[in-house]
Amino acid sequence: MTNPLLADWNTPFGLPPFDLISDDDFAPAVDAALTESRANIAAIAENPDAPDFANTIEALERADEMLGRVLGAFYNVAGADSNPKREALQREFAPLLSAYGSEVSENKALFARVEAVWEKRDELDLTDEQQRVLMLTRRGFVRSGAQLEGKAAEELRAVKSRLSVLGTDFMQNLLADERDWFMKLDKDDLIGLPDFVVATAKAAGDEKDAGGPVVTLSRSLIVPFLQFSERRDLRQKAYEAWGARGANGGETDNRGIAAETLKLREERANLLGYDTFADFKLETEMAGTPGAVRDLLMKVWEPAKAAAENDAKVLERLLHSDGFDGPLEPWDWRFYSEKRRKELHDLDEAELKPYLQLDRMIEASFACANRLFGLEFKAIEAPVYHPDVRLWDVTRDGEHVAVFMGDYFARGSKRSGAWCSAMRSQQRLSGDIRPHVVNVCNFAKPEAGKPALLSYDDARTLFHEFGHALHQMLSDVTYESISGTSVARDFVELPSQLYEHWLEVPEVLAEFATHAETGEPMPEDLLNRMLGAATYDMGFQTVEYVASALVDLGFHDGPAPADPMQRQAEILEEIGMPHAIRMRHATPHFAHVFAGDGYSSGYYSYMWSEVMDADAFAAFEETGDPFDAETAKRLEETVLSSGGSVDAADLYTAFRGRLPGVEALLKGRGLDKAA
Ligand SMILES: [Zn+2]
């Protein structure tokens, strides 16, 4: 029997035939697809015809068609519905795929053809999109070292392989430190802890065989402990253990790894012709240069610090009124901030939840997309990879736009978090290919017959992921490599974070946040408290985040520091870090930056996107109508349909008439009043 992954898919909209695919089909399909990819690459590299755009760049776009189709289905089930077999397959595929990737980027004959097309690009009469794809393709080769020869090429290979070992070690050390530490809580030690924290502490104690409740260094336990524990001595002990992860001496200490990593990254950048690693990393980002990143971070830093210092004074008074002398300490912040929050925005989750029904929130996200972009959603049936998955045919003016899949409920087989992925991306090179987009979330599943209810955070997550989905569904490009969300890392969160703003539009909540039993809309007072709570303590949150981003940047935009801990201390001193706040992630446990280089000199990008989403939503607010048709049309024509076919800064400028300013973000975070 033929492997269903490799056969034609005679399913509605060409969706993967999940009812026919078994786990045993994946490995042979990946194997066959890799063989096909390799044959395609060899055919391009060895083509006797003179290199041109079609026989080189377009051929490369098509080379992995089968592989993409197989992996699209596989990674979707591996993330959203895993099992031991699928986990083993993931471990098996990773080295195969990375070996294939290296083969392609190190193929000299192939690169020579890409380079030849690049050299004569001005004579080829290419469209703007084709020029962009050519530039990106060549840049990818150059950045992975295709231009290096002999000793330099070998050095680069050695540096990259050592860096990947260091990244894995860093993460494993961190996990070991997080796993090893716990603190037993006797009866007197539970004072102040709400039931849900006690329950979590008990479950953690059972897991550790500790014979009673414990605090661990898991964020979901230590943060509420620091928020609620009345025992200042225990808060201090737990906080200090949390801050010491990766810096406890011995075998799991990450400080040496951090120093070596920074040194090797500098070497890698130098080998490729860049002054610093930040120059190398930021070349492909919207920000472009370390200077632009620092500029933006500092514009946010000063007002955030001013707000945090005002807040610290209030919290310190609360500390003193509890009979303690001396300054407010980092282990006090969350505790007194929680007390103050209760006074200012008391919010009972139980009171709120019945108003946020999953189905109504899905309807709300669809209704906004309908008002803004004219999209319509019709539920359809087709084979799915899990019975909880729901499918919609997305149309506009009667024409098919995309298939949207929602996989909303938590289950043991799903990894944590929420994400959006495309099992198939939009493109026109191989016919009019429309996307298959899936949103995966981890919302609590209700008892049978009861409606699923969300927290406000959940509802925001739903809108966030749907914003990514729109970026995929509204994509309108020719080439898959630049389709949908294939954009710079510091640009990719713009559509998603922007979409969250429509959840906060009062008329949307008034229509869709209705009580599960009575159908009544959410009372205005509750609505205001909910919105107020969502932006509370922003000075603290901004300071702990921006400090981490500035340290990350400082590590990478000059010579590698011999002692990163000393450099970290210098940077914090220079920016005047408030006494009672520490970095959200200090160097020895800064996994974003050291467990792989995904976010190295890139931790700023969360803030960068937030500046943009606030500024972009202000474009709607300025018209007086959050659904202003002309602004929505411009948003689609510039940002949402273009994928990576145009430089991100140019797309944004086309939408807004200028680059983003920080004012809307400061206003949204309530930081504009403090400075
Ligand atoms: Zn996102």
Side-chain angles (χ1 to χ4, degrees):
M1 210 182 91
T2 43
N3 189 317
L5 282 155
L6 301 170
D8 281 341
W9 291 353
N10 295 316
T11 48
F13 304 104
L15 289 161
F18 284 114
D19 52 339
L20 304 177
I21 300 169
S22 86
D23 285 347
D24 293 331
D25 295 323
F26 286 115
V30 166
D31 196 47
L34 272 173
T35 304
E36 188 178 304
S37 285
R38 285 195 165 95
N40 292 339
I41 294 293
I44 302 168
E46 290 153 22
N47 190 338
D49 297 341
D52 60 27
F53 189 82
N55 73 19
T56 307
I57 306 300
E58 285 189 350
L60 272 171
E61 286 279 323
R62 286 199 179 98
D64 296 330
E65 232 160 56
M66 181 61 81
L67 187 63
R69 192 167 91 145
V70 173
L71 292 179
F74 174 71
Y75 281 115
N76 197 80
V77 296
D81 193 25
S82 201
N83 58 36
K85 172 95 188 175
R86 290 171 183 174
E87 278 164 27
L89 286 171
Q90 249 181 310
R91 283 192 297 273
E92 191 184 318
F93 294 161
L96 296 179
L97 296 170
S98 106
Y100 168 63
S102 306
E103 258 171 64
V104 174
S105 64
E106 290 171 14
N107 186 322
K108 292 285 171 200
L110 182 63
F111 178 62
R113 290 181 68 89
V114 171
E115 193 69 356
V117 179
W118 172 252
E119 289 298 331
K120 60 179 179 191
R121 63 192 177 279
D122 293 337
E123 302 145 37
L124 297 176
D125 203 20
L126 301 176
T127 65
D128 289 349
E129 190 181 332
Q130 288 172 330
Q131 290 185 39
R132 174 89 178 159
V133 171
L134 172 59
M135 185 279 284
L136 292 172
T137 305
R138 176 181 177 272
R139 191 172 75 180
F141 275 97
V142 171
R143 287 171 62 82
S144 61
Q147 284 174 317
L148 299 186
E149 303 282 349
K151 198 167 159 272
E154 246 160 65
E155 262 177 57
L156 182 69
R157 208 171 300 136
V159 165
K160 280 205 245 180
S161 112
R162 177 71 185 147
L163 278 170
S164 94
V165 172
L166 291 173
T168 310
D169 288 352
F170 187 96
M171 196 63 210
Q172 281 172 356
N173 288 344
L174 178 56
L175 292 174
D177 274 13
E178 286 180 356
R179 199 176 47 228
D180 291 348
W181 189 92
F182 62 90
M183 178 170 75
K184 274 197 74 171
L185 297 174
D186 293 328
K187 207 151 188 243
D188 294 348
D189 302 341
L190 300 175
I191 179 162
L193 301 183
D195 292 347
F196 83 92
V197 184
V198 175
T200 317
K202 276 190 181 145
D206 288 346
E207 214 182 291
K208 303 266 179 211
D209 259 331
V214 302
V215 185
T216 67
L217 299 180
S218 149
R219 196 171 259 277
S220 59
L221 180 50
I222 188 156
V223 168
F225 181 79
L226 292 169
Q227 264 174 323
F228 295 108
S229 172
E230 305 221 0
R231 290 282 301 275
R232 194 179 190 214
D233 58 331
L234 299 183
R235 291 202 310 265
Q236 178 174 1
K237 209 171 146 194
Y239 186 89
E240 284 177 343
W242 196 34
R245 285 169 300 151
N248 288 310
E251 295 219 320
T252 59
D253 200 299
N254 272 334
R255 287 171 289 190
I257 293 179
E260 190 185 349
T261 301
L262 294 175
K263 184 80 204 128
L264 290 172
R265 281 182 184 157
E266 186 182 22
E267 254 178 78
R268 177 177 174 188
N270 294 162
L271 280 166
L272 292 168
Y274 301 84
D275 282 344
T276 69
F277 186 74
D279 290 327
F280 167 67
K281 264 316 274 282
L282 294 168
E283 178 188 41
T284 58
E285 299 300 309
M286 177 180 173
T289 64
V293 172
R294 177 161 289 114
D295 245 28
L296 173 113
L297 290 173
M298 289 312 292
K299 274 186 199 150
V300 178
W301 173 255
E302 289 302 335
K305 185 169 77 163
E309 276 164 354
N310 286 344
D311 289 337
K313 281 182 206 138
V314 177
L315 301 184
E316 196 166 84
R317 278 200 294 276
L318 294 175
L319 171 79
H320 292 169
S321 70
D322 270 356
F324 294 105
D325 295 330
L328 185 79
E329 297 292 348
W331 45 90
D332 296 322
W333 191 291
R334 287 178 174 82
F335 178 73
Y336 288 103
S337 169
E338 173 62 24
K339 281 196 159 176
R340 189 180 174 213
R341 187 193 67 78
K342 256 204 183 121
E343 264 167 46
L344 296 177
H345 316 277
D346 191 16
L347 190 65
D348 181 355
E349 281 275 332
E351 189 192 346
L352 183 62
K353 269 208 156 179
Y355 290 99
L356 299 172
Q357 303 174 63
L358 172 63
D359 282 355
R360 295 292 282 156
M361 290 297 114
I362 295 172
E363 275 176 54
S365 69
F366 290 174
C368 291
N370 180 265
R371 283 182 73 176
L372 291 163
F373 310 114
L375 298 178
E376 294 182 85
F377 298 80
K378 195 178 109 217
I380 51 169
E381 299 280 332
V384 287
Y385 59 88
H386 188 280
D388 283 350
V389 179
R390 297 158 72 175
L391 295 176
W392 288 270
D393 176 17
V394 186
T395 58
R396 177 156 57 186
D397 302 328
E399 285 205 28
H400 176 67
V401 171
V403 174
F404 176 68
M405 291 169 243
D407 179 1
Y408 295 108
F409 296 128
R411 55 179 170 260
S413 62
K414 197 187 269 188
R415 72 175 161 83
S416 60
W419 65 93
C420 172
S421 59
M423 267 191 257
R424 185 169 90 177
S425 297
Q426 181 274 330
Q427 55 134 318
R428 283 193 298 269
L429 187 61
S430 311
D432 186 11
I433 305 291
R434 298 308 312 172
H436 299 159
V437 187
V438 54
N439 275 179
V440 184
C441 302
N442 266 291
F443 304 144
K445 193 171 179 168
E447 292 167 50
K450 294 256 172 75
L453 303 177
L454 305 181
S455 68
Y456 185 58
D457 258 3
D458 292 339
R460 278 175 62 157
T461 300
L462 184 120
F463 268 66
H464 178 103
E465 299 309 332
F466 192 73
H468 284 306
L470 284 172
H471 201 185
Q472 300 277 18
M473 296 193 287
L474 294 174
S475 178
D476 184 20
V477 298
T478 303
Y479 299 100
E480 188 179 351
S481 66
I482 49 160
S483 173
T485 54
S486 299
V487 298
R489 184 189 293 277
D490 59 1
F491 193 64
V492 75
E493 296 299 332
L494 169 62
S496 52
Q497 294 183 177
L498 174 59
Y499 208 66
E500 291 177 35
H501 288 271
W502 278 284
L503 173 62
E504 289 176 13
V505 170
E507 61 187 277
V508 173
L509 285 170
E511 184 176 352
F512 294 97
T514 52
H515 197 279
E517 277 148 36
T518 66
E520 292 290 314
M522 187 185 293
E524 206 176 311
D525 168 60
L526 182 61
L527 195 146
N528 289 336
R529 275 182 288 141
M530 179 181 85
L531 295 178
T535 53
Y536 174 67
D537 213 14
M538 278 296 162
F540 170 85
Q541 288 182 38
T542 312
V543 161
E544 65 161 4
Y545 166 84
V546 174
S548 298
L550 284 166
V551 168
D552 167 37
L553 185 69
F555 277 164
H556 296 102
D557 79 337
D563 182 351
M565 296 306 286
Q566 190 196 327
R567 184 78 191 105
Q568 172 185 303
E570 284 165 12
I571 293 168
L572 297 178
E573 170 82 31
E574 276 162 31
I575 60 175
M577 186 72 172
H579 174 77
I581 307 180
R582 290 192 188 153
M583 294 165 69
R584 184 170 168 88
H585 309 283
T587 301
H589 49 259
F590 204 163
H592 289 81
V593 173
F594 291 107
D597 71 4
Y599 275 91
S600 52
S601 64
Y603 192 62
Y604 77 89
S605 48
Y606 297 97
M607 180 63 65
W608 186 272
S609 311
E610 228 183 293
V611 164
M612 264 191 296
D613 74 65
D615 187 65
F617 191 68
F620 286 88
E621 290 177 320
E622 284 160 15
T623 69
D625 176 6
F627 293 96
D628 180 62
E630 225 169 278
T631 313
K633 187 159 179 268
R634 206 166 61 242
L635 180 70
E636 178 177 349
E637 283 172 358
T638 56
V639 174
L640 293 175
S641 66
S642 305
S645 63
V646 178
D647 181 76
D650 294 339
L651 285 182
Y652 195 85
T653 308
F655 169 62
R656 196 66 167 109
R658 56 163 175 75
L659 285 168
V662 299
E663 297 71 21
L665 169 109
L666 295 178
K667 191 164 161 251
R669 290 196 162 208
L671 301 175
D672 54 334
K673 295 162 216 114

